[in-house]
Amino acid sequence: MSLLARVARRASPQYNRFLTRGVATIQDTVAECVPVWRADIKDLRGKHGDKVLCEVTVDQAIGGMRGIKGMITETSLLDPEEGIRFRGYSIPECQKLLPKAPGGNEPLPEGLFWLLLTGKIPTTEEVKGLSEDLAKRSQLPAHAKQMINNFPKDMHPMTQLCSAVLALQTESSFAKAYLSGSVNKMDYWSYTLEDSLDLIAMLPEAAALIYRNKFKGGSHIAPDLSLDWGANYAHMMGYDDAEFIELMRLYLTIHTDHEGGNASAHATHLVGSTLSDPYLSFCGGMTALAGPLHGLANQEVLRWLMKFKEDLGDKEITPEAITEAAWATLKSGNVIPGFGHAVLRKTDPRYMCQREFALKFMPDDEMFKLVSTLYEVVPGVLTETGKVKNPWPNVDAHSGVLLQHYGFTEAEYYTVLFGVSRALGVLSSLVIDRVLGLPLERPKSMTTEWIRQQFETS
């Protein structure tokens, strides 16, 4: 059977309904949603296509397009007061409703992927089937593994990850189907989904190889395909502690998605709008994530925390000592990283679920005590300056300390963890983009002179 026939067959509801255990696959579930979603977007445009979503100021055009409502992302919505909702569900609701590993308390990331892509809470059996499917797809092609193993040891882990994803592009079903010229554009979504599943399946081994090569002398650990996606990733990196595996499941779940306007999600969407396949599109998103203002933020926070603790010296970690040190940091012209968010106006729910994890498993950890005291003190200090709209901690203020507690001290690698997680969100969105037939993204740009002429010419 040809590659195109195999992909079409796997995406067919008639085929998938009769798989093992009689449980619907994710392809089956998406296929059932396709006509509904297409009818809905057609109805929306027919009824409201000429309505105005927002006005755009010069400040917004110059200032990174902050707050401009100009794109569709179905997987999540960020409310300034509530925080992120994945398909309408808050993080605490996801922690409660999504399937968990036997004996575990944190959601399986595969379950959130199912929710993001389909809008439906999956059953335990559906998530088990998805985990098994990802395991079957997870073997890296020989050329990609060889390329990863040949990377210079001083190459940044994110550069390695981006390069590895490009090497995996040889496996793209979408690229082969498009090149053949025999695929109807209404079926692009099924090939995009197959590519997304393959890429998500292969990412943990690729990322683990990068970790072991750079930090563990090149000694590799074979995958254990009996484990769930997050647990196998932790295992291949060399971490089999049950608490750490639970942390990985939590981490890989909460970093998946944060609306479509953040740099990595938007870059993936933008590249994908050209009909680049999921491998090329995701690589675009990862190059954005590698930037210091985006995915590198958590290691920047950790570096600052360690320096902050060093500067405290023998002082006891008390609210008074932290307040004094925080003011000294600000008065020296520096910022306190990990606090504030472009959209949020309250404590990031992703911070709170990590805090709850720490309170449960590591309440006496010295670095956690520091983070916890900062949480009590810094918002008041920042509010007192009168310059900060959101003084509350974001997700980056906590994640590094949790990883450090379990001996995962290689901060340079943390953004790779973020990237593996973010694949679940941005690739879900990419599939939906193809279902809805969203067009090539092409906003209008202006020169500063044009703006002056609009407002200064009498």
Side-chain angles (χ1 to χ4, degrees), residues 46-352:
K47 290 179 178 176
H48 306 293
D50 60 347
K51 303 296 195 313
V52 176
L53 288 173
C54 69
E55 294 182 342
V56 179
T57 66
V58 173
D59 271 346
Q60 286 176 302
I62 294 172
M65 300 192 290
R66 295 287 175 93
I68 295 175
K69 298 178 178 69
M71 60 188 299
I72 296 295
T73 303
E74 299 285 57
T75 50
S76 62
L77 185 66
L78 182 57
D79 184 276
E81 300 302 325
E82 284 192 336
I84 196 67
R85 282 186 173 268
F86 300 127
R87 288 288 195 161
Y89 294 94
S90 68
I91 285 178
E93 287 171 337
C94 287
Q95 287 179 290
K96 178 181 178 181
L97 297 172
L98 289 175
K100 301 164 183 62
N105 293 305
E106 299 298 343
L108 289 166
E110 301 95 310
L112 185 61
F113 175 62
W114 188 294
L115 173 62
L116 292 174
L117 184 53
T118 69
K120 301 175 182 179
I121 297 287
T123 66
T124 298
E125 283 298 298
E126 286 169 337
V127 170
K128 183 179 179 182
L130 176 56
S131 292
E132 292 171 355
D133 184 32
L134 292 175
K136 292 173 184 175
R137 297 168 181 262
S138 64
Q139 185 174 358
L140 294 177
H143 72 270
K145 188 176 291 189
Q146 181 181 9
M147 178 176 167
I148 294 169
N149 289 335
N150 287 335
F151 285 145
K153 296 302 180 285
D154 60 350
M155 181 183 284
H156 193 281
M158 280 302 289
T159 308
Q160 294 190 45
L161 180 66
C162 294
S163 302
V165 170
L166 289 178
L168 293 173
Q169 193 268 346
T170 56
E171 311 308 296
S172 173
S173 299
F174 181 91
K176 293 179 176 70
Y178 192 86
L179 186 63
S180 75
S182 62
V183 182
N184 189 298
K185 66 181 181 179
M186 300 298 282
D187 296 325
Y188 285 168
W189 71 268
S190 65
Y191 298 90
T192 302
L193 176 54
E194 290 301 317
D195 274 1
S196 297
L197 290 168
D198 286 342
L199 178 52
I200 288 167
M202 290 187 285
L203 273 175
E205 184 174 3
L209 285 176
I210 292 167
Y211 177 76
R212 300 294 301 183
N213 285 342
K214 186 167 180 67
F215 302 109
K216 302 298 179 182
S219 62
H220 299 158
I221 298 173
D224 182 348
L225 300 185
S226 69
L227 297 174
D228 58 81
W229 186 73
N232 190 35
Y233 181 22
H235 166 73
M236 288 187 288
M237 288 191 293
Y239 298 89
D240 292 306
D241 176 80
E243 284 183 18
F244 182 83
I245 289 172
E246 277 286 271
L247 174 61
M248 282 298 294
R249 291 178 182 132
L250 175 64
Y251 186 101
L252 294 171
T253 295
I254 65 175
H255 286 81
T256 53
D257 209 44
H258 220 231
E259 275 197 354
N262 68 77
S264 56
H266 191 189
T268 304
H269 167 79
L270 174 62
V271 177
S273 79
T274 71
L275 292 187
S276 282
D277 61 66
Y279 296 86
L280 299 177
S281 303
F282 180 65
C283 181
M286 290 303 94
T287 58
L289 191 69
L293 296 182
H294 192 12
L296 289 188
N298 59 0
Q299 72 183 64
E300 294 293 324
V301 170
L302 182 63
R303 185 181 296 116
W304 180 85
L305 283 171
M306 296 177 81
K307 178 67 166 56
F308 191 88
K309 190 171 187 301
E310 180 183 324
D311 291 344
L312 279 175
D314 295 330
K315 289 183 181 178
E316 184 182 353
I317 298 175
T318 64
E320 294 76 20
I322 297 300
T323 299
E324 181 183 342
W327 275 114
T329 297
L330 295 173
K331 289 176 180 178
S332 68
N334 295 308
V335 300
I336 302 176
F339 287 78
H341 191 275
V343 179
L344 276 171
R345 294 296 174 262
K346 62 170 284 184
T347 300
D348 191 332
R350 299 172 300 171
Y351 173 95
M352 291 305 299

